[in-house]
Amino acid sequence: MRIYGARGVDELPAATKALKLYEDLGFGNLPVCMAKTHLSLSHDPGLKGRPTGFRVPIREVRLSAGAGSSPPSRRDAHDAGPAVPPAGESIDIDSDGNIVDCSRRPC
């Protein structure tokens, strides 16, 4: 949390229970991979830039043993993905091999 400037975390009971289970299964030494909004180093897109002193709510923790991490979840929707489609979905290549921006004209 020191890197992000957070004061601490608030684990919901489901997150605490999952962490205990993963530790009991021998996965307690895996790193935690934190996701964040691209607008801020916090969990809150309203806290712009490099805020400090906030608390990070942890709703649940999922084990990614194959990836070697345990990513916590803070969003309300499960694996909601990005709010907007990736820019790569709006490009194409024309018959001459040129990249075409489909967001500006139909492809």
Side-chain angles (χ1 to χ4, degrees), residues 10-76:
D10 295 321
E11 290 177 11
L12 291 176
T16 303
K17 183 178 177 182
L19 287 170
K20 171 83 170 91
L21 172 64
Y22 302 153
E23 287 177 6
D24 291 347
L25 293 172
F27 295 107
N29 62 343
L30 292 179
V32 174
C33 177
M34 293 291 293
K36 63 173 195 57
T37 172
H38 66 285
L39 299 174
S40 172
L41 277 179
S42 79
H43 65 289
D44 182 354
L47 298 175
K48 306 283 189 236
R50 178 81 168 74
T52 59
F54 57 91
R55 295 191 63 82
V56 179
I58 304 298
R59 183 172 45 91
E60 65 182 342
V61 179
R62 295 183 182 170
L63 177 64
S64 295
S69 67
S70 50
S73 175
R74 297 176 320 238
R75 290 190 285 196
D76 291 333

